Amino acid sequence: SQQGEEDPQALSIQEGENATMNCSYKTSINNLQWYRQNSGRGLVHLILIRSNEREKHSGRLRVTLDTSKKSSSLLITASRAADTASYFCATVPLGGAQKLVFGQGTRLTINP
Amino acid sequence: NAGVTQTPKFQVLKTGQSMTLQCAQDMNHEYMSWYRQDPGMGLRLIHYSVGAGITDQGEVPNGYNVSRSTTEDFPLRLLSAAPSQTSVYFCASSYYPPPGTTEAFFGQGTRLTVV
């Protein structure tokens, strides 16, 4: 079963606006990661946040993690057409499982 | 470095045929895994390996076999292809196995159609 669920499933915004995507998960985690997938391509790692961290930044990306609510958000500021892609959260569940479990993804479209 | 290389990029099989999807990485990563991606389902883990000679099942292992004889290679075998195995397959690797805090590197995928 899927560990993470992204919300919304699809998001369409104008270039220059900010985009926020959310991820909820079911079990306690070791860390949470966000990946981007351009159409027809493999996934590319964006950012990793550990379970003891609350916020992390990388360039125009800001990730938050709320372990009490089992949720994370990815904010992309000042969006560009090149940000058009699908975004996935992935979790590493606690308990010794050596697995990276992905959600279903958010399809982001940036309109020029 | 080439990263993670998957071959072939596209494949059409007839029901009942067998084939091997190849995956190779040149980053000396210990952990390798196979996912399938279906519309609306995200990525689902098929099999994974934490090192040469060690493999384990993921969420959807039925109909697939793997082996890991070297650190670099992690082939995925379809034993008797079925239309339900029509999907895009991704191989991924990372230096440490989860829960090690390292990123996963993905191949470009193999688009498989079973008719």
Side-chain angles (χ1 to χ4, degrees):
Chain A
S1 61
Q2 299 296 124
Q3 162 76 319
E5 293 185 3
E6 283 91 340
D7 172 57
Q9 292 188 357
L11 179 62
S12 181
I13 62 173
Q14 294 300 120
E15 195 168 14
E17 294 181 337
N18 295 341
T20 299
M21 289 158 274
N22 303 296
C23 169
S24 59
Y25 54 91
K26 299 173 185 174
T27 64
S28 297
I29 60 171
N30 181 282
N31 67 70
L32 185 145
Q33 305 177 30
W34 285 91
Y35 287 80
R36 183 187 74 229
Q37 182 181 34
N38 291 94
S39 181
R41 307 298 296 273
L43 280 73
V44 175
H45 181 265
L46 295 176
I47 197 165
L48 181 152
I49 186 165
R50 295 178 176 82
S51 59
N52 62 354
E53 297 176 312
R54 292 296 168 259
E55 188 171 311
K56 206 161 183 180
H57 296 257
S58 176
R60 294 185 294 114
L61 305 181
R62 172 178 170 256
V63 168
T64 62
L65 179 64
D66 187 335
T67 53
S68 66
K69 295 182 179 177
K70 292 186 170 59
S71 68
S72 173
S73 67
L74 170 67
L75 168 68
I76 303 174
T77 60
S79 63
R80 306 166 181 170
D83 295 327
T84 293
S86 292
Y87 292 82
F88 294 87
C89 69
T91 56
V92 178
L94 276 179
Q98 296 177 302
K99 304 174 184 178
L100 188 59
V101 183
F102 284 82
Q104 296 176 346
T106 293
R107 175 67 188 168
L108 175 65
T109 302
I110 308 299
N111 301 302
Chain B
N1 287 350
V4 179
T5 302
Q6 288 184 237
T7 56
K9 288 187 170 54
F10 302 93
Q11 183 70 50
V12 178
L13 286 180
K14 293 182 178 178
T15 297
Q17 286 185 318
S18 63
M19 79 160 294
T20 299
L21 280 62
Q22 301 291 344
C23 176
Q25 53 90 9
D26 60 358
M27 298 173 282
N28 201 31
H29 285 176
E30 288 298 316
Y31 186 82
M32 297 185 74
S33 54
W34 277 101
Y35 292 87
R36 59 176 290 173
Q37 184 176 30
D38 302 294
M41 298 291 290
L43 280 82
R44 291 183 291 170
L45 183 63
I46 305 172
H47 285 286
Y48 62 96
S49 169
V50 299
I54 306 170
T55 64
D56 207 343
Q57 296 181 350
E59 298 174 73
V60 288
N62 292 343
Y64 308 95
N65 272 0
V66 292
S67 60
R68 184 96 180 269
S69 56
T70 66
T71 299
E72 295 78 20
D73 301 298
F74 191 44
L76 178 72
R77 297 183 187 85
L78 279 70
L79 308 174
S80 178
S84 61
Q85 294 179 304
T86 293
S87 187
V88 181
Y89 291 85
F90 288 99
C91 179
S93 72
S94 60
Y95 192 76
Y96 295 115
T101 52
T102 56
E103 65 183 280
F105 291 80
F106 280 79
Q108 291 302 297
T110 295
R111 187 174 294 274
L112 176 68
T113 302
V114 183
V115 298

